[in-house]
Amino acid sequence: MTAIPKVCAVKIEGSLEKLKNVIERGAINILVFTENHFLFSDDFHNDFLNSAYNVKISSDQSIIEDPNFDFDIVILCGHLKNEEIFGWKLQSIKRQPFIALWSWDNHHQPILNCKAAMVADAVFPAHWFSHEDMANAATLIAPHLPLCITQWSNVFLSSMEERICAAQRCDKLYGGFFNHEDAKERSELIAVFRERNPNEHVFSFGLDKRSTYFSYSQEQRLMDWSSHKASLILPLRNDISQRLFDALACGLIPIVPPEFPDLDLVVSRHDQQSLPIVRMESYSVDGIADAHAHALKLFDRDGRQGVMRRHLFARDNHGLRNRIDRLVSLFRPGTAISKVRIDFERGIHVYLT
């Protein structure tokens, strides 16, 4: 650590000490903190009933004032809100947990992301293609932790398996998108596509309308997805969001852009072909239309068997339980503590591998 500034080295060493303490513990208590609680299903506790660790999901910052606050790891979901403020509070209390920042939005607004990263013990980038934007000499860069299904628990999806497979589906392309200021190219593409294809179920709306979608029940949202064969995936900025896994869980064939940097890291080429996931030839109205026509042929070819294949793939591999299992695996003997490397090639990056 001699090449790292002293104040940063002290923080890194403190993080490694906390990491060591967690590894030496038997049962691990985990707090998942999010300021977007509506994104998470209320029944997620059912997915963790047989886990080797305890999990609580909360959006209440006053939880640290509870005299019974006893968490070994806090997974701080980074939504570009006030994560660094809560992170600083966590670093200042007597019972200091290991702060794992799960950066949901590290593909844009790098300054805001860096503020949150500086306070965390380790950053788990959701979007690996831009993980270096969060690198600093005071924070461990942990492995890639992609986003996943959060609006439905695995238990709920399992209970709906037969309805998903038996659902009556239309040929209309499915896709709803928020009008982000950072996504002008996407908004323009959607507007032109809607003008040329007014009967397709592709639309956009303001961020203030997000609550409308989540006002519907889990079942209503699930069956709305499941009434279609193909879903359009247009990232804000090259990112893999929940919608890719939501589409697969509901049996739809996802249609993705030509450039999708992290896809091969998250879904193998073999699985992309067998599920399938269809790539657009070009980021254009014609590119969408051609990919949609191809996806419909593939869906009709595979029928119920294809729906089940996609559903099981997403449910069994890309739920919240899968992601937290992956994170916790670093906090086991013989994994994290002996695998810290410093990369000076593009600045000081301290990796927890």
Side-chain angles (χ1 to χ4, degrees), residues 140-337:
L140 297 164
I141 302 295
H144 187 202
L145 194 69
L147 294 183
C148 59
I149 302 165
T150 59
Q151 62 173 314
W152 303 301
S153 69
N154 280 20
V155 170
F156 175 75
L157 288 172
S158 296
S159 72
M160 297 294 288
E161 179 181 301
E162 179 56 33
R163 292 189 62 184
I164 291 171
C165 290
Q168 295 295 314
R169 299 173 185 260
C170 68
D171 288 347
K172 292 182 178 180
L173 184 59
Y174 185 82
F177 304 90
F178 294 117
N179 291 321
H180 282 277
E181 289 186 5
D182 291 342
K184 292 182 179 179
E185 183 181 11
R186 181 178 75 178
S187 298
E188 291 172 0
L189 177 60
I190 293 170
V192 175
F193 182 83
R194 281 184 53 80
E195 183 179 344
R196 297 186 190 176
N197 303 275
N199 294 324
E200 302 292 358
H201 198 155
V202 175
F203 54 91
S204 60
F205 45 89
L207 286 169
D208 59 326
K209 302 297 183 182
R210 175 181 274 175
S211 59
T212 302
Y213 174 78
F214 286 98
S215 68
Y216 295 105
S217 69
Q218 291 190 73
E219 182 177 342
Q220 287 174 317
R221 284 180 264 132
L222 184 95
M223 296 314 298
D224 184 41
W225 281 81
S226 300
S227 64
H228 296 77
K229 297 178 180 179
S231 177
L232 181 61
I233 312 295
L234 294 178
L236 173 64
R237 186 174 293 172
N238 294 328
D239 53 299
I240 295 180
S241 64
Q242 295 104 307
R243 74 171 63 243
L244 174 70
F245 310 110
D246 292 344
L248 290 168
C250 294
L252 288 78
I253 293 179
I255 294 171
V256 303
E259 299 297 325
F260 214 17
D262 287 347
L263 186 59
D264 289 352
L265 300 178
V266 180
V267 182
S268 71
R269 287 279 180 161
H270 175 269
D271 287 332
Q272 290 176 45
Q273 293 178 354
S274 65
L275 289 169
I277 294 174
V278 174
R279 283 184 188 260
M280 298 154 49
E281 290 292 330
S282 64
Y283 193 82
S284 64
V285 171
D286 290 340
I288 295 173
D290 292 344
H292 182 207
H294 183 49
L296 291 177
K297 290 180 181 179
L298 294 174
F299 185 97
D300 292 340
R301 180 197 69 187
D302 295 343
R304 182 188 176 102
Q305 184 179 15
V307 170
M308 178 63 80
R309 181 168 61 246
R310 291 183 287 276
H311 169 73
L312 292 177
F313 175 83
R315 190 188 80 194
D316 295 345
N317 298 288
H318 297 286
L320 186 64
R321 170 68 186 270
N322 302 103
R323 297 298 186 255
I324 296 183
D325 277 350
R326 182 172 180 174
L327 184 148
V328 170
S329 70
L330 281 178
F331 296 80
R332 289 290 182 249
T335 55
I337 197 67

Side-chain angles (χ1 to χ4, degrees), residues 8-23:
C8 299
V10 169
K11 181 173 178 292
I12 289 285
E13 288 167 1
S15 297
L16 292 176
E17 183 63 26
K18 287 196 282 184
L19 177 63
K20 180 181 178 181
N21 292 337
V22 175
I23 289 174

